[in-house]
């Protein structure tokens, strides 16, 4: 969590603060492209961002908090891609947004591997699991489907785990194939408790 979110004196809409956080996010993502998150230091990130350590700590508690903030956009894309359909889902036709998500993610695999560990842990995995669980649970409740909590957790765990293992090359599949497989798996999870 950023200090700004904890009431650290910065207004949420402060453009200077947002520019600084954007520089720190970009620097972290660039550093993660070269080595895993657990090998990074605040010094390396602020050096790349051309900022001071004190500035870093005005905005973030630690590297984990910065990583979670930097991952928010990819998490939002994943959650939206997985829910980019209406009506009765066709197991043979994943939403185009889901296939596009996997295709785009493949192009940044080294970066995401530093933030999403095998099995789905790490700052990206935790954030993705939480947001996906909440969105899936909410969608089931809106549809008046049973077992919203159970299915929300199962969908979040399955998607996050498969994404992580695929990025770490534990699953040998093209982006199209993994999107199709995940889609069928998640539909089966929804139907299993109908």
């Amino acid at each position: 969590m950023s200090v700004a979110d904890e009431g650290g004196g910065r207004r949420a809409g402060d453009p200077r603060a947002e520019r600084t956080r954007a520089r720190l996010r970009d620097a972290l993502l660039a550093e993660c492209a070269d080595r895993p998150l657990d090998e990074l230091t605040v010094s390396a990130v602020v050096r790349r961002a051309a900022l001071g350590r004190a500035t870093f700590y005005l905005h973030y508690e630690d590297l984990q908090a910065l990583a979670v903030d930097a991952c928010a956009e990819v998490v939002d894309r994943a959650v939206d891609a997985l829910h980019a359909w209406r009506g009765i889902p066709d197991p043979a036709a994943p939403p185009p947004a889901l296939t596009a998500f996997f295709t785009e993610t493949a192009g940044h695999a080294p970066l995401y591997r530093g933030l999403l560990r095998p099995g789905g842990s790490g700052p990206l995995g935790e954030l993705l699991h939480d947001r996906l669980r909440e969105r899936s649970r909410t969608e089931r409740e809106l549809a008046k489907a049973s077992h919203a909590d159970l299915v929300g957790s199962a969908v979040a765990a399955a998607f996050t785990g498969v994404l992580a293992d695929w990025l770490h090359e534990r699953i040998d599949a093209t982006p199209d194939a993994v999107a199709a497989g995940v889609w069928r798996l998640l539909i089966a999870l929804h139907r299993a408790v109908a």
Side-chain angles (χ1 to χ4, degrees):
M1 178 178 298
S2 72
V3 173
D5 295 334
E6 295 176 342
R10 300 243 185 235
R11 292 188 341 249
D14 183 348
R16 291 173 300 159
E18 183 47 42
R19 281 192 302 273
T20 299
R21 285 191 294 274
R23 284 174 61 185
L24 289 166
R25 286 191 301 266
D26 290 346
L28 175 88
L29 295 175
E31 287 292 320
C32 282
D34 297 334
R35 60 184 178 268
L37 179 65
D38 56 4
E39 292 179 13
L40 294 186
T41 63
V42 170
S43 296
V45 172
V46 296
R47 187 171 35 254
R48 188 177 286 255
L51 296 167
R53 282 180 77 86
T55 301
F56 176 91
Y57 288 110
L58 281 174
H59 297 279
Y60 297 101
E61 172 180 311
D62 55 22
L63 284 174
Q64 179 89 3
L66 172 58
V68 168
D69 189 25
C71 293
E73 185 180 332
V74 71
V75 167
D76 291 342
R77 285 195 322 268
V79 171
D80 289 345
L82 198 53
H83 291 88
W85 61 275
R86 289 290 172 248
I88 298 172
D90 178 359
L98 184 60
T99 303
F101 169 78
F102 278 101
T103 301
E104 181 178 326
T105 302
H108 302 288
L111 166 65
Y112 296 136
R113 279 194 293 264
L115 301 170
L116 180 62
R117 294 180 185 93
S121 64
L124 178 57
E126 292 165 14
L127 186 62
L128 177 58
H129 185 277
D130 290 347
R131 290 199 185 162
L132 188 52
R133 181 189 183 282
E134 183 59 27
R135 177 79 174 267
S136 296
R137 186 190 62 73
T138 300
E139 293 280 333
R140 278 191 75 85
E141 286 178 350
L142 289 172
K144 300 192 183 324
S146 62
H147 307 289
D149 286 335
L150 175 67
V151 174
S153 290
V155 165
F159 184 83
T160 304
V162 168
L163 175 62
D165 286 353
W166 178 69
L167 286 169
H168 284 275
E169 300 175 344
R170 292 178 168 194
I171 297 171
D172 184 19
T174 66
D176 290 349
V178 77
V182 163
W183 183 241
R184 287 189 303 273
L185 174 64
L186 298 182
I187 289 172
L189 286 172
H190 278 279
R191 290 179 177 169
V193 294

